[in-house]
Amino acid sequence: MSALALYQLVAVMLFCIGIYGVTWRRSLVGMLISVELMLNGAGLSIVAAAQLTPASAVLGQLATLLVMGLAAAEATLVLAIIIVIARRFETTETDAVPELKG
Amino acid sequence: MEVLAKIAFGMYALIILCGGAVTVTAQSLVRALIGLIATLFAVAGMYLLLAAPLIAFMQILIYVGAVCVLIFFAIMLTRASGEGKEAATPTARPAHQYANAVLVLLAPAVFLSWVIIRHPAKSVPVPAKVTVAELGKGLLEPYTLSFELISVVLLVAMAGAVLLIWEKRRKE
């Protein structure tokens, strides 16, 4: 098996652990942590594909940098949403906040 | 050198697996965050093995330095108890929830692994060498638009976060 396939398999592992966490976690903060795992899997896959194939390496590394920037923006917004929910419902457990409109 | 790289790869993969398992299964959210940090460091090690040192440092700087601190703030600001337990009263889950979670874990894992193993891409054994100067040039010449857009996205996210919390406070 080539080195590229090994790196891609590790990235798939990260992604799947993350998606399992999103379904399994009971609180919004736990889901946020799992989403970060998934984004890391994506970043690792992009860098491996850029560095180990004849494709443009600069493009791949810059794409991963952009993914990191998006992850930071996403974490900021999710933090704000979690704080709003915590103030309104006084909990961040997903089972306790089933309504969308309230 | 070849053997050392393989040993390092195996070690990082093991840390990623264990850290990821801790991240999604730990009862305490603070422990889950520690698992996430371990995983992020191992992924940074993988970037170093791929000859992308700038990405590895950015991984540590942005993820461990900023995102993890942000998540820690989220835990701190939303939790009255100091223990950081995820659920105040952990209840047993019905069996179909276990089945769903395992299905969600296995379906993409099996499909994506099958695609990777059955249809291998044409790859080179040694990672490409990219200097930081080339990356900076790429960011400022062909990919300027995405560079500017990501800064706008970050600004909007920051302003949106402030706005979300501000409105709530004004009503009180």
Side-chain angles (χ1 to χ4, degrees), chain B:
Chain B
M1 281 313 280
E2 185 84 347
V3 179
L4 272 182
K6 276 177 187 154
I7 291 173
F9 179 86
M11 208 175 66
Y12 291 140
L14 196 69
I15 295 176
I16 287 177
L17 185 64
C18 298
V22 168
T23 307
V24 294
T25 57
Q27 273 292 314
S28 154
L29 280 177
V30 179
R31 276 192 196 151
L33 189 58
I34 299 295
L36 178 68
I37 291 174
T39 312
L40 295 178
F41 269 111
V43 174
M46 289 252 171
Y47 288 150
L48 282 180
L49 278 183
L50 280 168
L54 182 76
I55 306 294
F57 289 126
M58 284 301 133
Q59 165 96 358
I60 292 173
L61 203 70
I62 297 178
Y63 269 112
V64 183
V67 174
C68 282
V69 172
L70 214 58
I71 296 174
F72 196 75
F73 267 99
I75 297 174
M76 207 172 70
L77 290 173
T78 56
R79 215 144 288 275
S81 72
E83 292 173 13
K85 283 268 190 290
E86 185 172 26
T89 51
T91 48
R93 301 182 192 219
H96 69 86
Q97 277 195 9
Y98 284 94
N100 284 351
V102 170
L103 187 71
V104 158
L105 172 71
L106 284 184
V110 170
F111 176 68
L112 291 175
S113 308
W114 180 78
V115 169
I116 289 169
I117 292 170
R118 286 301 301 277
H119 303 282
K122 204 180 282 176
S123 71
V124 290
V126 176
K129 273 213 172 67
V130 177
T131 60
V132 180
E134 277 173 309
L135 280 178
K137 214 170 171 190
L139 213 49
L140 287 180
E141 276 167 10
Y143 308 116
T144 315
L145 184 65
S146 52
F147 180 58
E148 296 294 333
L149 275 180
I150 196 83
S151 55
V152 172
V153 166
L154 277 170
L155 178 71
V156 169
M158 218 161 56
V162 171
L163 196 72
L164 264 179
I165 298 174
W166 194 271
E167 255 188 352
K168 183 73 182 139
R169 189 178 283 169
R170 205 168 45 194
K171 278 185 200 156
E172 281 169 0

